[in-house]
């Protein structure tokens, strides 16, 4: 049987506001595909809640939950460290530093391209040869972006070890 919040509160002998509070704490859930409560399920949940509250089991459950969350976080940290050791993951600031450096070199090559090409094609009358020289210069500049090496992203060992101690 499905009931609304007011009806559930009346059945449990509590206020509608308390039903809302318990729902926010994760106690009552709406019936699947509905905005109403399953009376049978909510009554059972409320009985278990009151028993736990009276026997003090709630405190133990909270400690267990916190401990489980802590263990999950430690597991996630270990997985991240393992991925970093396998070079499957890098620190965001290391990647940013690497990409900034790579893009600065690319910009520098592009900036130097016109004067370098001008010297090579000055006085050239064959358009095809001029195009080939320009293409070669552009490909050379683009090669700067193609030279990705994950080992270059890594920081120095002293920096990495010092920061892991802080974690």
């Amino acid at each position: 049987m499905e009931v609304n919040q007011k009806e559930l509160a009346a059945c449990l002998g509590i206020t509608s506001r308390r039903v809302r509070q318990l729902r926010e704490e994760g106690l009552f859930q709406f019936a699947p595909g509905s905005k109403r409560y399953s009376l049978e399920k909510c009554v059972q949940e409320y009985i278990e809640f009151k028993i736990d509250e009276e026997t003090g089991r709630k405190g133990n459950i909270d400690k267990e939950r916190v401990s489980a969350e802590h263990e999950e976080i430690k597991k996630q940290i270990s997985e991240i460290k393992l991925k970093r050791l396998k070079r499957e993951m890098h620190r965001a600031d290391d990647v940013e530093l690497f990409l900034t450096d790579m893009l600065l070199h690319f910009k520098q090559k592009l900036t130097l391209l016109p004067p370098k090409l001008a010297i090579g094609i000055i006085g050239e009358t064959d358009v095809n040869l001029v195009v080939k020289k320009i293409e070669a210069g552009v490909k050379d500049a683009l090669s700067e972006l193609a030279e990705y090496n994950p080992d270059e992203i890594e920081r120095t060992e002293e920096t990495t070890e010092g920061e892991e101690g802080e974690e």
Side-chain angles (χ1 to χ4, degrees), residues 5 8-9 14-29 37 46 49 53 58:
Q5 181 176 311
L8 178 61
I14 58 177
T15 65
S16 290
R17 183 175 185 176
R18 182 65 178 144
V19 170
R20 251 190 334 271
Q21 288 172 337
L22 291 172
R23 175 164 170 68
E24 289 171 4
E25 293 174 15
L27 189 62
F28 302 131
Q29 300 298 319
Y37 299 95
Y46 188 68
F49 169 76
E53 190 176 61
K58 185 176 190 253

Side-chain angles (χ1 to χ4, degrees), residues 90-108:
H90 303 287
R91 294 172 53 95
D93 53 344
D94 291 340
V95 173
E96 182 180 0
L97 187 67
F98 177 79
L99 288 175
T100 300
D101 187 52
M102 187 170 72
L103 290 173
L104 284 174
H105 282 97
F106 177 67
K107 179 184 174 189
Q108 190 176 26

Side-chain angles (χ1 to χ4, degrees), residues 51-84:
I51 290 171
D52 289 347
E53 190 176 61
E54 292 296 319
T55 60
R57 281 189 359 204
K58 185 176 190 253
N60 291 338
I61 292 171
D62 285 345
K63 287 177 188 174
E64 290 172 7
R65 183 180 53 78
V66 169
S67 178
E69 288 174 359
H70 179 70
E71 290 301 316
E72 179 62 27
I73 290 169
K74 284 174 38 178
K75 178 184 167 194
Q76 290 173 356
I77 290 170
S78 295
E79 288 173 355
I80 290 170
K81 286 181 179 180
L82 180 61
K83 285 182 179 184
R84 285 181 56 204

